[in-house]
Amino acid sequence: MSERAAPFYCPYCGDEDLRPSEQGHGAWECAACNRAFQLKFLGLLARGLQQNEAGGEQI
């Protein structure tokens, strides 16, 4: 298993002052807005991305 990926910014306030949380794997704390959040990889989609007729990507 590789090292964990770190988020670049807080999903709530957008600040970059993040620290790993003591709450467990994937948990982060934002010093700017005083929020804690957790990141979790759910898996790959079986169908993947498909191109629609307008040229954009459809999930």
Side-chain angles (χ1 to χ4, degrees), residues 34-55:
N34 203 31
R35 287 187 170 118
F37 59 93
Q38 188 169 19
L39 301 177
K40 182 177 178 181
F41 177 70
L42 298 177
L44 298 173
L45 299 174
R47 67 181 190 277
L49 294 176
Q50 299 172 352
Q51 201 84 5
N52 64 15
E53 294 178 17

Side-chain angles (χ1 to χ4, degrees), residues 10-33:
C10 174
Y12 298 100
C13 72
D15 199 86
E16 298 176 356
D17 191 5
L18 301 176
R19 297 181 180 101
S21 176
E22 297 177 0
Q23 296 299 317
H25 182 71
W28 294 86
E29 297 174 354
C30 177
C33 68

